[in-house]
């Protein structure tokens, strides 16, 4: 299994969306990262942010690079997380954050090709 379980998704407007996700222990991404203490890799978090931004916000621009990324706490098997997306079309930027409870687990700014 490569994708999280989407428990809820919402598009607030043309530039904002959020998803409630469950991270099943059987996700491919947990295997070997790290043995005995699986965590969701940062590259997967960035990929999912892009994927759901394309799906929910209709962003057609391609990935250019990551400008800022902060990993403040690991995302673990069976956690429920909230993914917040903000599209800034005039700047060509996608902002994302993964939240667990009230705390930010990771966040970043992705530059997209215009």
């Amino acid at each position: 299994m490569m994708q999280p379980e989407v428990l809820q998704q919402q598009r607030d407007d043309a530039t904002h969306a959020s998803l409630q996700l469950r991270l099943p222990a059987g996700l491919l991404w947990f295997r070997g990262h790290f043995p005995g203490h699986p965590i969701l890799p940062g590259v997967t978090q960035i990929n999912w942010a892009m994927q759901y931004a394309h799906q929910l916000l209709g962003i057609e621009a391609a990935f250019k690079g990551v400008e800022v990324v902060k990993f403040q706490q690991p995302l673990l098997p069976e956690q429920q997380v909230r993914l917040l997306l903000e599209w800034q079309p005039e700047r060509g930027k996608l902002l994302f954050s993964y939240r667990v409870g009230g705390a930010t687990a990771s966040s970043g700014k992705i530059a997209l090709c215009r």
Side-chain angles (χ1 to χ4, degrees):
M1 166 183 344
M2 305 255 314
Q3 299 298 320
E5 178 183 351
V6 177
L7 303 173
Q8 180 183 18
Q9 63 185 32
Q10 178 177 335
R11 179 179 168 181
D12 299 327
D13 56 37
T15 60
H16 293 84
S18 63
L19 299 99
Q20 187 71 30
L21 307 171
R22 186 179 74 78
L23 309 178
L27 282 172
L28 170 76
W29 309 111
F30 288 128
R31 294 186 206 152
H33 194 76
F34 295 95
H37 187 71
I39 64 172
L40 189 68
V43 69
T44 303
Q45 295 176 46
I46 293 167
N47 179 273
W48 287 350
M50 285 290 301
Q51 174 187 328
Y52 290 117
H54 284 295
Q55 180 183 328
L56 295 174
L57 299 175
I59 297 172
E60 295 182 11
F63 179 86
K64 182 176 181 182
V66 176
E67 290 188 350
V68 177
V69 67
K70 293 180 184 178
F71 299 105
Q72 296 159 300
Q73 73 180 56
L75 296 180
L76 307 172
E78 298 305 327
Q79 274 187 321
Q80 285 194 24
V81 301
R82 185 163 190 80
L83 170 57
L84 303 174
L85 301 169
E86 179 185 345
W87 170 228
Q88 297 177 345
E90 67 286 346
R91 299 179 60 220
K93 310 288 183 210
L94 174 65
L95 283 62
F96 71 90
S97 68
Y98 287 87
R99 299 182 61 80
V100 177
T104 299
S106 62
S107 61
K109 185 186 303 183
I110 301 169
L112 303 177
C113 298
R114 295 193 208 207

PDB file of all heavy atoms in Angstrom, residues 65-86:
ATOM      1  N   GLY A  65      11.264  22.569  -6.926  1.00  0.00           N
ATOM      2  CA  GLY A  65      12.200  22.343  -5.825  1.00  0.00           C
ATOM      3  C   GLY A  65      11.569  22.699  -4.495  1.00  0.00           C
ATOM      4  O   GLY A  65      10.497  23.287  -4.444  1.00  0.00           O
ATOM      5  N   VAL A  66      12.262  22.344  -3.434  1.00  0.00           N
ATOM      6  CA  VAL A  66      11.812  22.661  -2.081  1.00  0.00           C
ATOM      7  C   VAL A  66      12.623  23.854  -1.598  1.00  0.00           C
ATOM      8  O   VAL A  66      13.849  23.823  -1.618  1.00  0.00           O
ATOM      9  CB  VAL A  66      11.994  21.463  -1.130  1.00  0.00           C
ATOM     10  CG1 VAL A  66      11.604  21.835   0.285  1.00  0.00           C
ATOM     11  CG2 VAL A  66      11.181  20.270  -1.611  1.00  0.00           C
ATOM     12  N   GLU A  67      11.932  24.909  -1.190  1.00  0.00           N
ATOM     13  CA  GLU A  67      12.628  26.102  -0.702  1.00  0.00           C
ATOM     14  C   GLU A  67      12.883  26.025   0.795  1.00  0.00           C
ATOM     15  O   GLU A  67      13.927  26.421   1.270  1.00  0.00           O
ATOM     16  CB  GLU A  67      11.819  27.350  -1.034  1.00  0.00           C
ATOM     17  CG  GLU A  67      11.803  27.641  -2.514  1.00  0.00           C
ATOM     18  CD  GLU A  67      11.179  28.981  -2.823  1.00  0.00           C
ATOM     19  OE1 GLU A  67      10.583  29.623  -1.934  1.00  0.00           O
ATOM     20  OE2 GLU A  67      11.290  29.390  -3.992  1.00  0.00           O
ATOM     21  N   VAL A  68      11.886  25.536   1.520  1.00  0.00           N
ATOM     22  CA  VAL A  68      11.982  25.436   2.971  1.00  0.00           C
ATOM     23  C   VAL A  68      11.283  24.155   3.382  1.00  0.00           C
ATOM     24  O   VAL A  68      10.205  23.845   2.872  1.00  0.00           O
ATOM     25  CB  VAL A  68      11.275  26.631   3.665  1.00  0.00           C
ATOM     26  CG1 VAL A  68      11.303  26.480   5.175  1.00  0.00           C
ATOM     27  CG2 VAL A  68      11.878  27.951   3.242  1.00  0.00           C
ATOM     28  N   VAL A  69      11.886  23.425   4.293  1.00  0.00           N
ATOM     29  CA  VAL A  69      11.209  22.267   4.870  1.00  0.00           C
ATOM     30  C   VAL A  69      11.715  22.087   6.300  1.00  0.00           C
ATOM     31  O   VAL A  69      12.912  22.267   6.563  1.00  0.00           O
ATOM     32  CB  VAL A  69      11.413  20.985   4.021  1.00  0.00           C
ATOM     33  CG1 VAL A  69      12.848  20.528   4.025  1.00  0.00           C
ATOM     34  CG2 VAL A  69      10.501  19.875   4.469  1.00  0.00           C
ATOM     35  N   LYS A  70      10.777  21.822   7.209  1.00  0.00           N
ATOM     36  CA  LYS A  70      11.108  21.611   8.619  1.00  0.00           C
ATOM     37  C   LYS A  70      10.406  20.339   9.075  1.00  0.00           C
ATOM     38  O   LYS A  70       9.193  20.205   8.906  1.00  0.00           O
ATOM     39  CB  LYS A  70      10.635  22.780   9.481  1.00  0.00           C
ATOM     40  CG  LYS A  70      11.348  24.071   9.215  1.00  0.00           C
ATOM     41  CD  LYS A  70      10.826  25.164  10.116  1.00  0.00           C
ATOM     42  CE  LYS A  70      11.489  26.492   9.781  1.00  0.00           C
ATOM     43  NZ  LYS A  70      10.968  27.570  10.611  1.00  0.00           N
ATOM     44  N   PHE A  71      11.186  19.436   9.646  1.00  0.00           N
ATOM     45  CA  PHE A  71      10.634  18.216  10.220  1.00  0.00           C
ATOM     46  C   PHE A  71      10.792  18.331  11.731  1.00  0.00           C
ATOM     47  O   PHE A  71      11.903  18.237  12.248  1.00  0.00           O
ATOM     48  CB  PHE A  71      11.346  16.981   9.659  1.00  0.00           C
ATOM     49  CG  PHE A  71      11.191  16.855   8.170  1.00  0.00           C
ATOM     50  CD1 PHE A  71      12.243  17.156   7.320  1.00  0.00           C
ATOM     51  CD2 PHE A  71       9.986  16.450   7.619  1.00  0.00           C
ATOM     52  CE1 PHE A  71      12.106  17.050   5.943  1.00  0.00           C
ATOM     53  CE2 PHE A  71       9.832  16.347   6.238  1.00  0.00           C
ATOM     54  CZ  PHE A  71      10.888  16.646   5.405  1.00  0.00           C
ATOM     55  N   GLN A  72       9.681  18.583  12.426  1.00  0.00           N
ATOM     56  CA  GLN A  72       9.738  18.862  13.848  1.00  0.00           C
ATOM     57  C   GLN A  72       9.434  17.653  14.722  1.00  0.00           C
ATOM     58  O   GLN A  72       9.882  17.586  15.854  1.00  0.00           O
ATOM     59  CB  GLN A  72       8.791  20.023  14.163  1.00  0.00           C
ATOM     60  CG  GLN A  72       9.268  21.288  13.461  1.00  0.00           C
ATOM     61  CD  GLN A  72       8.182  22.308  13.289  1.00  0.00           C
ATOM     62  OE1 GLN A  72       7.175  22.045  12.654  1.00  0.00           O
ATOM     63  NE2 GLN A  72       8.396  23.489  13.844  1.00  0.00           N
ATOM     64  N   GLN A  73       8.662  16.724  14.196  1.00  0.00           N
ATOM     65  CA  GLN A  73       8.420  15.469  14.907  1.00  0.00           C
ATOM     66  C   GLN A  73       8.077  14.409  13.871  1.00  0.00           C
ATOM     67  O   GLN A  73       7.503  14.722  12.828  1.00  0.00           O
ATOM     68  CB  GLN A  73       7.320  15.603  15.965  1.00  0.00           C
ATOM     69  CG  GLN A  73       5.913  15.722  15.416  1.00  0.00           C
ATOM     70  CD  GLN A  73       4.873  15.862  16.512  1.00  0.00           C
ATOM     71  OE1 GLN A  73       4.957  16.762  17.332  1.00  0.00           O
ATOM     72  NE2 GLN A  73       3.901  14.982  16.523  1.00  0.00           N
ATOM     73  N   PRO A  74       8.451  13.155  14.131  1.00  0.00           N
ATOM     74  CA  PRO A  74       8.211  12.105  13.137  1.00  0.00           C
ATOM     75  C   PRO A  74       6.726  11.762  13.009  1.00  0.00           C
ATOM     76  O   PRO A  74       5.963  11.903  13.963  1.00  0.00           O
ATOM     77  CB  PRO A  74       9.005  10.915  13.670  1.00  0.00           C
ATOM     78  CG  PRO A  74       9.165  11.178  15.122  1.00  0.00           C
ATOM     79  CD  PRO A  74       9.156  12.667  15.296  1.00  0.00           C
ATOM     80  N   LEU A  75       6.356  11.335  11.803  1.00  0.00           N
ATOM     81  CA  LEU A  75       5.014  10.806  11.562  1.00  0.00           C
ATOM     82  C   LEU A  75       5.132   9.290  11.630  1.00  0.00           C
ATOM     83  O   LEU A  75       5.951   8.691  10.928  1.00  0.00           O
ATOM     84  CB  LEU A  75       4.485  11.273  10.207  1.00  0.00           C
ATOM     85  CG  LEU A  75       4.291  12.784  10.076  1.00  0.00           C
ATOM     86  CD1 LEU A  75       3.758  13.136   8.693  1.00  0.00           C
ATOM     87  CD2 LEU A  75       3.367  13.309  11.151  1.00  0.00           C
ATOM     88  N   LEU A  76       4.305   8.684  12.474  1.00  0.00           N
ATOM     89  CA  LEU A  76       4.436   7.280  12.837  1.00  0.00           C
ATOM     90  C   LEU A  76       3.280   6.431  12.321  1.00  0.00           C
ATOM     91  O   LEU A  76       2.198   6.956  12.047  1.00  0.00           O
ATOM     92  CB  LEU A  76       4.515   7.161  14.365  1.00  0.00           C
ATOM     93  CG  LEU A  76       5.592   8.018  15.040  1.00  0.00           C
ATOM     94  CD1 LEU A  76       5.433   7.965  16.549  1.00  0.00           C
ATOM     95  CD2 LEU A  76       6.971   7.577  14.605  1.00  0.00           C
ATOM     96  N   PRO A  77       3.496   5.104  12.236  1.00  0.00           N
ATOM     97  CA  PRO A  77       2.418   4.206  11.819  1.00  0.00           C
ATOM     98  C   PRO A  77       1.186   4.355  12.709  1.00  0.00           C
ATOM     99  O   PRO A  77       1.303   4.540  13.926  1.00  0.00           O
ATOM    100  CB  PRO A  77       3.040   2.814  11.980  1.00  0.00           C
ATOM    101  CG  PRO A  77       4.510   3.035  11.869  1.00  0.00           C
ATOM    102  CD  PRO A  77       4.749   4.393  12.473  1.00  0.00           C
ATOM    103  N   GLU A  78       0.037   4.309  12.067  1.00  0.00           N
ATOM    104  CA  GLU A  78      -1.284   4.368  12.691  1.00  0.00           C
ATOM    105  C   GLU A  78      -1.664   5.741  13.230  1.00  0.00           C
ATOM    106  O   GLU A  78      -2.728   5.899  13.822  1.00  0.00           O
ATOM    107  CB  GLU A  78      -1.448   3.301  13.787  1.00  0.00           C
ATOM    108  CG  GLU A  78      -1.326   1.881  13.262  1.00  0.00           C
ATOM    109  CD  GLU A  78      -2.295   1.545  12.107  1.00  0.00           C
ATOM    110  OE1 GLU A  78      -3.412   2.068  12.070  1.00  0.00           O
ATOM    111  OE2 GLU A  78      -1.887   0.746  11.237  1.00  0.00           O
ATOM    112  N   GLN A  79      -0.850   6.751  13.008  1.00  0.00           N
ATOM    113  CA  GLN A  79      -1.227   8.103  13.426  1.00  0.00           C
ATOM    114  C   GLN A  79      -2.279   8.671  12.494  1.00  0.00           C
ATOM    115  O   GLN A  79      -2.342   8.326  11.310  1.00  0.00           O
ATOM    116  CB  GLN A  79      -0.023   9.045  13.404  1.00  0.00           C
ATOM    117  CG  GLN A  79       0.793   9.036  14.648  1.00  0.00           C
ATOM    118  CD  GLN A  79       1.871  10.101  14.625  1.00  0.00           C
ATOM    119  OE1 GLN A  79       2.494  10.367  13.597  1.00  0.00           O
ATOM    120  NE2 GLN A  79       2.098  10.705  15.775  1.00  0.00           N
ATOM    121  N   GLN A  80      -3.091   9.564  13.038  1.00  0.00           N
ATOM    122  CA  GLN A  80      -3.962  10.395  12.221  1.00  0.00           C
ATOM    123  C   GLN A  80      -3.305  11.760  12.138  1.00  0.00           C
ATOM    124  O   GLN A  80      -2.877  12.312  13.157  1.00  0.00           O
ATOM    125  CB  GLN A  80      -5.357  10.511  12.834  1.00  0.00           C
ATOM    126  CG  GLN A  80      -6.169   9.256  12.639  1.00  0.00           C
ATOM    127  CD  GLN A  80      -7.641   9.477  12.942  1.00  0.00           C
ATOM    128  OE1 GLN A  80      -8.144  10.596  12.874  1.00  0.00           O
ATOM    129  NE2 GLN A  80      -8.324   8.397  13.275  1.00  0.00           N
ATOM    130  N   VAL A  81      -3.201  12.269  10.921  1.00  0.00           N
ATOM    131  CA  VAL A  81      -2.554  13.556  10.694  1.00  0.00           C
ATOM    132  C   VAL A  81      -3.451  14.430   9.827  1.00  0.00           C
ATOM    133  O   VAL A  81      -4.265  13.933   9.052  1.00  0.00           O
ATOM    134  CB  VAL A  81      -1.160  13.399  10.039  1.00  0.00           C
ATOM    135  CG1 VAL A  81      -0.254  12.553  10.901  1.00  0.00           C
ATOM    136  CG2 VAL A  81      -1.256  12.809   8.654  1.00  0.00           C
ATOM    137  N   ARG A  82      -3.290  15.706   9.976  1.00  0.00           N
ATOM    138  CA  ARG A  82      -4.023  16.675   9.152  1.00  0.00           C
ATOM    139  C   ARG A  82      -3.019  17.329   8.222  1.00  0.00           C
ATOM    140  O   ARG A  82      -1.995  17.854   8.666  1.00  0.00           O
ATOM    141  CB  ARG A  82      -4.699  17.703  10.042  1.00  0.00           C
ATOM    142  CG  ARG A  82      -5.581  18.669   9.302  1.00  0.00           C
ATOM    143  CD  ARG A  82      -6.520  19.352  10.307  1.00  0.00           C
ATOM    144  NE  ARG A  82      -7.527  20.104   9.630  1.00  0.00           N
ATOM    145  CZ  ARG A  82      -8.630  19.600   9.093  1.00  0.00           C
ATOM    146  NH1 ARG A  82      -8.862  18.313   9.158  1.00  0.00           N
ATOM    147  NH2 ARG A  82      -9.519  20.371   8.497  1.00  0.00           N
ATOM    148  N   LEU A  83      -3.303  17.290   6.941  1.00  0.00           N
ATOM    149  CA  LEU A  83      -2.461  17.934   5.930  1.00  0.00           C
ATOM    150  C   LEU A  83      -3.162  19.211   5.489  1.00  0.00           C
ATOM    151  O   LEU A  83      -4.294  19.172   5.014  1.00  0.00           O
ATOM    152  CB  LEU A  83      -2.246  16.996   4.738  1.00  0.00           C
ATOM    153  CG  LEU A  83      -1.582  17.597   3.491  1.00  0.00           C
ATOM    154  CD1 LEU A  83      -0.216  18.197   3.808  1.00  0.00           C
ATOM    155  CD2 LEU A  83      -1.491  16.554   2.392  1.00  0.00           C
ATOM    156  N   LEU A  84      -2.482  20.332   5.664  1.00  0.00           N
ATOM    157  CA  LEU A  84      -3.008  21.637   5.245  1.00  0.00           C
ATOM    158  C   LEU A  84      -2.217  22.102   4.030  1.00  0.00           C
ATOM    159  O   LEU A  84      -0.982  22.040   4.023  1.00  0.00           O
ATOM    160  CB  LEU A  84      -2.859  22.657   6.374  1.00  0.00           C
ATOM    161  CG  LEU A  84      -3.516  22.287   7.707  1.00  0.00           C
ATOM    162  CD1 LEU A  84      -3.161  23.304   8.783  1.00  0.00           C
ATOM    163  CD2 LEU A  84      -5.013  22.177   7.546  1.00  0.00           C
ATOM    164  N   LEU A  85      -2.936  22.562   3.016  1.00  0.00           N
ATOM    165  CA  LEU A  85      -2.327  23.020   1.770  1.00  0.00           C
ATOM    166  C   LEU A  85      -2.743  24.457   1.473  1.00  0.00           C
ATOM    167  O   LEU A  85      -3.915  24.799   1.624  1.00  0.00           O
ATOM    168  CB  LEU A  85      -2.768  22.129   0.600  1.00  0.00           C
ATOM    169  CG  LEU A  85      -2.428  20.651   0.715  1.00  0.00           C
ATOM    170  CD1 LEU A  85      -3.150  19.862  -0.366  1.00  0.00           C
ATOM    171  CD2 LEU A  85      -0.930  20.447   0.635  1.00  0.00           C
ATOM    172  N   GLU A  86      -1.784  25.268   1.060  1.00  0.00           N
ATOM    173  CA  GLU A  86      -2.072  26.639   0.629  1.00  0.00           C
ATOM    174  C   GLU A  86      -1.319  26.899  -0.670  1.00  0.00           C
ATOM    175  O   GLU A  86      -0.094  26.836  -0.719  1.00  0.00           O
ATOM    176  CB  GLU A  86      -1.623  27.658   1.675  1.00  0.00           C
ATOM    177  CG  GLU A  86      -1.878  29.087   1.238  1.00  0.00           C
ATOM    178  CD  GLU A  86      -1.339  30.123   2.207  1.00  0.00           C
ATOM    179  OE1 GLU A  86      -1.019  29.775   3.360  1.00  0.00           O
ATOM    180  OE2 GLU A  86      -1.225  31.295   1.789  1.00  0.00           O
TER     181      GLU A  86
END
